[in-house]
Amino acid sequence: MANKLVYVLNGPNLNRLGKREPEIYGSQTLDDIGAMLAQRGAALGLAIDMRQSNHEGALVDWLHEAEDAGAHAVLLNAGAYTHTSVALHDAIRSIKVPVIEVHLSNPHTREEFRHKSWVGMAAKGTVAGFGAQSYMVALEAVAGL
């Protein structure tokens, strides 16, 4: 049986992980996180399709693509779009694939503008505050769906 497909979508500035504010986001790069996910995903029978874009429309397109491809789930770290994007909210609501919101930091312990999540209002669940492990916790969660 083929592995179930999980899209892992990453938004703006996540290509800078490992360099950008490591005191908040950690020292691991997005490639490091992708390698961890691929290894654990294989053990769970999940195939990982990891992508990153600084452009909101690309994330919307990939959410639609996940639905059309019959993906098992989507892990979405929308970065700053979390707090601003009604378009991502609507895209999540427009698909049946479960979307898990992922954050390296805990937005609720940060600046007030980060406390509202348009993504979280539409997502099945949220994992936040565990650094790179947030992705792993979310992956374990979708393995059980």
Side-chain angles (χ1 to χ4, degrees):
M1 183 177 171
N3 286 352
K4 295 176 183 175
L5 180 60
V6 176
Y7 278 57
V8 181
L9 306 180
N10 298 279
N13 300 307
L14 288 161
N15 56 308
R16 303 294 298 164
L17 286 181
K19 298 175 184 173
R20 175 187 177 216
E21 299 178 283
E23 66 281 2
I24 295 173
Y25 300 110
S27 59
Q28 291 177 296
T29 67
L30 199 56
D31 286 342
D32 294 337
I33 293 168
M36 289 179 358
L37 288 169
Q39 182 178 16
R40 184 64 186 140
L44 294 169
L46 302 171
I48 305 301
D49 185 340
M50 184 139 164
R51 304 174 185 193
Q52 187 276 330
S53 179
N54 293 318
H55 305 282
E56 182 180 32
L59 296 168
V60 169
D61 289 343
W62 292 339
L63 285 164
H64 297 167
E65 181 185 314
E67 171 87 358
D68 296 342
H72 179 68
V74 174
L75 308 185
L76 173 60
N77 183 343
Y81 290 137
T82 297
H83 318 291
T84 63
S85 182
V86 175
L88 286 175
H89 173 274
D90 288 352
I92 295 165
R93 298 277 312 260
S94 77
I95 64 175
K96 291 182 175 67
V97 175
V99 175
I100 308 301
E101 177 185 36
V102 177
H103 295 288
L104 296 159
S105 67
N106 181 349
H108 298 290
T109 64
R110 299 187 57 203
E111 303 93 338
E112 188 174 337
F113 72 86
R114 297 186 194 276
H115 296 181
K116 183 173 186 175
S117 171
W118 289 99
V119 169
M121 286 185 255
K124 179 171 183 62
T126 300
V127 179
F130 299 103
Q133 281 301 119
S134 291
Y135 286 88
M136 301 300 282
V137 171
L139 188 66
E140 295 284 341
V142 300
L145 296 178

